Amino acid sequence: MTQVLRLGLPAGSLQEATAELFRRAGYKLSFTSRSYYPSIDDPEIHCTLIRAQEMARYVRDGSLDCGLTGYDWIVENDAQDDVVELAELVFSKVSRRPVRWVLAVPQDSPIHTEQDLQGKRIATEVVNITQRWLAQRGITAQVEFSWGATEVKPPRLADAIVEATETGNSLRANNLRVVAEILTSTTRFIAHPAAAADPWKRQKMDDLVLMLRGAMAAEGKVGLMMNVRKVDVEKVLQVLPALQKPTISALSDPEWVDVMTIIDEDVVRHLIPRLKAAGACGIVEYPINKIIM
Amino acid sequence: MTQVLRLGLPAGSLQEATAELFRRAGYKLSFTSRSYYPSIDDPEIHCTLIRAQEMARYVRDGSLDCGLTGYDWIVENDAQDDVVELAELVFSKVSRRPVRWVLAVPQDSPIHTEQDLQGKRIATEVVNITQRWLAQRGITAQVEFSWGATEVKPPRLADAIVEATETGNSLRANNLRVVAEILTSTTRFIAHPAAAADPWKRQKMDDLVLMLRGAMAAEGKVGLMMNVRKVDVEKVLQVLPALQKPTISALSDPEWVDVMTIIDEDVVRHLIPRLKAAGACGIVEYPINKIIM
Amino acid sequence: MTQVLRLGLPAGSLQEATAELFRRAGYKLSFTSRSYYPSIDDPEIHCTLIRAQEMARYVRDGSLDCGLTGYDWIVENDAQDDVVELAELVFSKVSRRPVRWVLAVPQDSPIHTEQDLQGKRIATEVVNITQRWLAQRGITAQVEFSWGATEVKPPRLADAIVEATETGNSLRANNLRVVAEILTSTTRFIAHPAAAADPWKRQKMDDLVLMLRGAMAAEGKVGLMMNVRKVDVEKVLQVLPALQKPTISALSDPEWVDVMTIIDEDVVRHLIPRLKAAGACGIVEYPINKIIM
Amino acid sequence: MTQVLRLGLPAGSLQEATAELFRRAGYKLSFTSRSYYPSIDDPEIHCTLIRAQEMARYVRDGSLDCGLTGYDWIVENDAQDDVVELAELVFSKVSRRPVRWVLAVPQDSPIHTEQDLQGKRIATEVVNITQRWLAQRGITAQVEFSWGATEVKPPRLADAIVEATETGNSLRANNLRVVAEILTSTTRFIAHPAAAADPWKRQKMDDLVLMLRGAMAAEGKVGLMMNVRKVDVEKVLQVLPALQKPTISALSDPEWVDVMTIIDEDVVRHLIPRLKAAGACGIVEYPINKIIM
Amino acid sequence: MTQVLRLGLPAGSLQEATAELFRRAGYKLSFTSRSYYPSIDDPEIHCTLIRAQEMARYVRDGSLDCGLTGYDWIVENDAQDDVVELAELVFSKVSRRPVRWVLAVPQDSPIHTEQDLQGKRIATEVVNITQRWLAQRGITAQVEFSWGATEVKPPRLADAIVEATETGNSLRANNLRVVAEILTSTTRFIAHPAAAADPWKRQKMDDLVLMLRGAMAAEGKVGLMMNVRKVDVEKVLQVLPALQKPTISALSDPEWVDVMTIIDEDVVRHLIPRLKAAGACGIVEYPINKIIM
Amino acid sequence: MTQVLRLGLPAGSLQEATAELFRRAGYKLSFTSRSYYPSIDDPEIHCTLIRAQEMARYVRDGSLDCGLTGYDWIVENDAQDDVVELAELVFSKVSRRPVRWVLAVPQDSPIHTEQDLQGKRIATEVVNITQRWLAQRGITAQVEFSWGATEVKPPRLADAIVEATETGNSLRANNLRVVAEILTSTTRFIAHPAAAADPWKRQKMDDLVLMLRGAMAAEGKVGLMMNVRKVDVEKVLQVLPALQKPTISALSDPEWVDVMTIIDEDVVRHLIPRLKAAGACGIVEYPINKIIM
């Protein structure tokens, strides 16, 4: 009988970014509208779309072998001790910065320190995280579950909010001031302990994580190749960043070598003028898909 | 100082249908992207977009004077005794049928009666309604809050669900069977008791309700006018539905009158052949915007 | 048992125009993508989408009770003596002009008269019509069925074509010259003889035709109402076209009457200056949906 | 030989609004992409699309008989004494407010009065208007023609600007402060003096203006009809605005009359509750296309 | 005088896929809307868009030198002995699977074997293929040309159909059962015998076929390069598929070599974990455009 | 304090092409709607969107350090002696051909030579260029500034025009004939003399130009690599164009080498058949991003 890995993928705002990451990692993931079971071109993996908020719940109870979700929702479900974290995956729909959950108030609010929250009304999607954070500080406040649009609620519908932010744009647009940072969160690949202990499932998950990391590592990277006179090789290598050992190939003309390396796309424009000055010629930049160091 | 009525409008799936209803009622409501304060061309009304789920909460605590929301969310917030219902507004984004919250299970589930739910796992967005309904029947079950896509959870992630349905399409598509109907819900115009007792606010809300009802009443209605010989008037009137007394105008030709009436658009095609047979001629159908009986 | 009228609607280019005509006639016709059975809000009618080219075939053999199709395809199927024509419906997707099937050749072709076609290669979608037309004139030519893009075939892939045209634009764009007009065609409502003889089906079809005609008659028409002094009524009536007898209502002010009439929208701009000159005032133009004379 | 009226229409931002106005006035105006000669369904009118900025130039030199353009561009071309103004047409793409040309500077500019402009650099599309305005005040400044995006030039690329504004939104968005208002402008229908003196052309233009005014007058207006007991007529009439004398028709029931009137759509919601209180019933609001008082 | 190759390209559903294949093969093919003569950046090729159904007809009669069309339409036109097949090109708009023409009936049809078709009505676009297939089996049936939507005709408008299918989705959606497979078809590059015998045209066509094959071969392939210690090369090579001999380059560090190879994109994820285990490092995957073995 | 290079980018039709060129050169340039200050991922560069027509004006007066604009607008502003040209950049939105400003007249115009322009009316956007050109030839004519749609003005609104053309399509579409070519223009990178003399700014601009040139050079180029037996290397090299010296790498198999080169994409299809014939095998084409010779 075929073994199957039951994998949960986050529905909603991260869905397209996840599919794109899998695609670059070499998996064809496709969503049929209205279906919550995306197809993947690996018959040994069965995917289910689940809201990120609920992922930890279903991995913990073994309904799924593993899944991708945010560290925030793992904590909100109080599941951090019940699931095994196999990898941290830094990617997101807007930026590559981690998500920060902050406690924010209107610019002109009288609330300036954590203690000022005593007796106030706080709206948030992460009620448990917020209540635990308040309890640790001995503060009593009314924490209300917010169904959405949390950032527009102060001051009329709440005194403060706890809300996720990546760039801070939404806070600025709503004229809010950060009082405290509650939690920083990135995407995690989590597994049920029994799945992590099963050799077949573990190998399957490790391979998947290796490929996802390869695709993430290649993002924003390009290949560079150039011809260099042997006498100039040392100078050229000093210009190149130490990230990866360049490949130096012999050419049929014994006075020249070919140098190949992988570098960050956004330093290319700083490097090329210096490489040229150091004696490199015929510099060619080419795209890459994946890199496994 | 200008008095202002603070009106909550439901954000999300009903938003466009609400704006359209207001527009037909004679109010220009416009949404600016990212703003939760729609503009309205009446300086005495201040609108706020709020999720339907939270509307009753904010009308109950007086943050808003009044708002539109579903009866279901009034009950889920246990607010039915704390707010004043000024009108039932029958409209929706998909159909004009009320929303039904049903308890559903997979077609091949062993659950057939309410009692079979004992000890099962039920996923739903309306945790309070469900728990109260189970308690009334002496059933103990695990009710889990569902963040979305509830209808795809059985059987792997839940044994049963309580979910809203208008047409039953989504239940059919997910191969679910209805075990019980929990609640039937329509849109309500609710007010805070103090606002309902304030004469200026009450008049403002009553006028608004009158216009919304006028626009709803005109939906699917058209005007019909025709020339009829006096001797045929009786026959023609018998064909017309009794909905509204037709207007019969004298013409300069004393043998003829003009008959005008308002009827349902979808009976026009049945009426016209019979009106013609009864002696009406020059039958003209024209559109109407609003009707106040 | 419920009786049902099996109605064929033309799929393809006329589909949307047909749905729009039915909608204006008071029927809600809706297409679900990929389904060939449009839903209609009359349980006694069952609709089937059929290519206009095949409609006469299926009405003739009784698979359908009735259908809408072009006169051209009735003739191409040689069905004109086997089906009953209940109405000619003048509407089309591009213009309200009838479709003309013409025999066309390149501007610089040596073919100038019908006789020049002897021995030539003619491409067309209407092979039967073309062959019959040639036979009547004693001309022998090779008629080839064209699967599409007929108008670009001359001179390389055909010497002449027989093709449908409404505005002549496509002929001009392809630099073609008309040698002869083969057939003029409009949309027809056809029925199987047995259906036309069945009283229930006949009544159903007659009512449908009445409503379709009412909607077509209202297209491009508007209502006009105005106040006129009794002494000026004669002058005003002389300005109005004789199309329909205007409705003249008595007003409470005995010196004035109200004149209402229905006229073509595109003469309004010519009439209004003359009506004003004749003494009409408070002239109001309003839209209408349907008119049954 | 057919006479033809050569009419210039403003290309660009006002183009669609103009076509819509003509359409409501009863003329079918259609633009073919890339053609500057829109087709109109009146063979006696020949339309040309011209930039509003150049319209007065070509009407003045007789290349066109008449055209629509802004008062601003008439003045910028110094053509106000050379063309005949037949009508002021108040409509625009954004609002119905006239366009104001204002002299604006950055919020924190040292320029506060007109005199502070001495020796400064001013960017504008209306170089002539600005220079004349400065000369009248004895101010010397460098006026530079701006090809676009004028409002973003201060303070780096200009000290002040003269720019058109309808709502003030763009000024606010660019943090600019108005120092003086230079000119207020609305759309005008202008004619070459010879065309205005030619009886056939004058009649043609007068009819066109009459219809355009009828369409503009109907904008935002609706029809209202209601049944009223004769004893209540006086009360009902007092509620109705004095804009137009209502039409009061006799009904066959001698105790009742039918009252019809045209009113502004945005007062309907204030009137209806009061009309109902005054005894009106069966109040129906219906749309209108055009009104000629 | 310049020689020209007259090439037919299939219009319609394969059009975009064909253009994309040519583009990847290094030819810029562009369609101007309404033109049936796509431009190509090779002055020695003249393209014509032709329906796939008619391609064989026009290549057979020499109107075109060569063209791309399906094997099915070559057979339907009975042209397989009259044209020269230069290549089979496996690509399609939906999948890379060949098209199968199947005889299908409704799930609950009494037709189970080929013999049950005796006397039945069969609708199809491939009348000749179907009639020949029936004749070979001694079956007499009524074969009707279907203008489209063939799969919805049974059981009301036909007893069986012969229809093309790639994935079987449309058959399943219409609840049809396959009784027999009539023909399997892929795209072919066909030429007129005289063109195939002309040295210049033959060379031109052979080069074109070589490039098309190079582009098809590269589809779904990627390049892989990695650094390997000389002692590990044997182990690494055993992991790589035998598809193509890898390129092993000497590096300046004499203990290491660089290994480059081309592999199927969808085995990358299986290979990389094993390559890493075998000692490869700095594994980089990069995209390729074309590969000629 | 951070030094900043103030760079002007052309707004309007070249905007997207410029952003794409910068992106390929390694700079992330992004436009926020309504902002005229595009963000770039280099904190030492500050971008401003300026109409190409005004760029030379603002670089000349030092408001900007440098900018991209057409040679035509440099000349129209009479700035060619006041700014320093650092590079000619050949790219454009439609084609890579330079823009030609031509004097054109209607096909049937009596104007055939430059002298025929005496006393005529010429419409153009480049009034200065046109007047200077006429003065050099001793011709007196009325040159009118055209706000747009210049090519549709003859013959009714102008006798001749001076207008930009890349492909000649617009001239042909408007039935115009070229009488003389006035100016040929390409995009230039210009700098204020003081900026060009400032070492930091000059280095910054030189690096930017180097990268832009690298991206332009890579456009339409691809990489080609192949395995060749040592005995065939000479034959293979003779087939390759002399554009760049190919890189010849030693392979571990001493009888073979690997040949890599960069060539124009549109010659690949001519080269590959000849490379194969010359003994190359395993030919792989891969994409490149940038090339600095």
Side-chain angles (χ1 to χ4, degrees), chain D residues 51-57 69-80 101 124-127 129 145 164 183 185-186, chain F residues 147:
Chain D
R51 298 287 290 258
Q53 291 94 329
E54 300 175 327
M55 188 69 72
R57 183 202 291 171
T69 187
Y71 177 67
D72 39 13
W73 296 111
I74 300 172
V75 174
E76 176 69 10
N77 280 285
D78 204 10
Q80 56 272 58
W101 286 87
T124 185
E125 267 191 290
V126 288
V127 171
I129 289 173
F145 177 66
L183 188 83
S185 173
T186 53
Chain F
W147 290 81

Side-chain angles (χ1 to χ4, degrees), chain F residues 3-283:
Chain F
Q3 266 190 296
V4 163
L5 184 75
R6 293 164 305 153
L7 167 67
L9 298 172
S13 61
L14 280 177
Q15 190 170 323
E16 275 314 312
T18 305
E20 173 62 17
L21 176 65
F22 271 70
R23 200 191 56 71
R24 284 188 290 115
Y27 298 84
K28 286 205 191 75
L29 197 62
S30 61
F31 304 108
T32 8
S33 77
R34 298 183 157 273
S35 165
Y36 282 81
Y37 302 108
S39 72
I40 191 166
D41 63 342
D42 182 334
E44 296 176 345
I45 300 179
H46 183 267
C47 298
T48 306
L49 276 179
I50 296 277
R51 297 287 291 258
Q53 292 94 328
E54 300 175 327
M55 188 70 71
R57 183 202 291 172
Y58 294 120
V59 171
R60 173 168 52 192
D61 72 12
S63 301
L64 298 170
D65 289 321
C66 54
L68 276 74
T69 187
Y71 177 67
D72 40 12
W73 295 111
I74 300 171
V75 175
E76 176 69 10
N77 280 284
D78 203 11
Q80 56 273 55
D81 298 335
D82 304 331
V83 298
V84 179
E85 183 183 314
L86 294 186
E88 180 176 7
L89 304 173
V90 184
F91 77 101
S92 91
K93 74 187 151 128
V94 178
S95 72
R96 318 192 94 248
R97 279 178 269 180
V99 168
R100 295 182 311 129
W101 287 88
V102 296
L103 192 144
V105 297
Q107 284 292 1
D108 56 3
S109 161
I111 300 171
H112 289 282
T113 69
E114 299 171 356
Q115 299 309 320
D116 296 340
L117 293 165
Q118 183 69 34
K120 300 297 183 188
R121 194 167 47 154
I122 306 175
T124 185
E125 266 191 291
V126 289
V127 171
N128 291 338
I129 288 173
T130 304
Q131 283 174 336
R132 232 172 295 148
W133 183 87
L134 290 168
Q136 285 164 4
R137 281 152 186 78
I139 305 165
T140 310
Q142 178 185 348
V143 182
E144 288 183 347
F145 176 66
S146 174
W147 290 81
T150 313
E151 70 276 16
V152 302
K153 290 190 172 165
R156 300 200 320 155
L157 307 179
D159 298 309
I161 63 169
V162 173
E163 182 60 335
T165 178
E166 287 193 34
T167 59
N169 286 342
S170 179
L171 295 177
R172 266 189 298 280
N174 287 287
N175 220 20
L176 298 174
R177 168 165 50 84
V178 172
V179 173
E181 188 167 310
I182 307 291
L183 189 84
T184 296
S185 173
T186 53
T187 300
R188 308 296 166 93
F189 190 113
I190 56 173
H192 187 269
D198 174 293
W200 182 89
K201 289 188 178 175
R202 182 55 179 255
Q203 185 63 48
K204 195 86 197 167
M205 293 190 286
D206 282 348
D207 288 0
L208 183 53
V209 164
L210 181 71
M211 298 310 291
L212 293 173
R213 280 189 169 140
M216 286 190 296
E219 224 182 328
K221 299 274 192 321
V222 290
L224 218 56
M225 58 185 170
M226 64 206 82
N227 288 344
V228 186
R229 235 175 257 276
K230 274 190 179 154
V231 297
D232 293 326
V233 164
E234 220 33 59
K235 271 190 296 171
V236 163
L237 293 188
Q238 273 163 15
V239 171
L240 291 175
L243 172 79
Q244 191 215 28
K245 209 175 52 155
T247 299
I248 301 172
S249 314
L251 296 187
S252 56
D253 180 337
E255 282 184 36
W256 289 79
V257 293
D258 184 72
V259 177
M260 296 183 79
T261 193
I262 304 296
I263 60 170
D264 281 332
E265 191 174 12
D266 53 12
V267 303
V268 171
R269 66 190 195 217
H270 302 299
L271 282 184
I272 283 184
R274 293 164 60 205
L275 289 169
K276 223 188 149 194
C281 65
I283 308 171

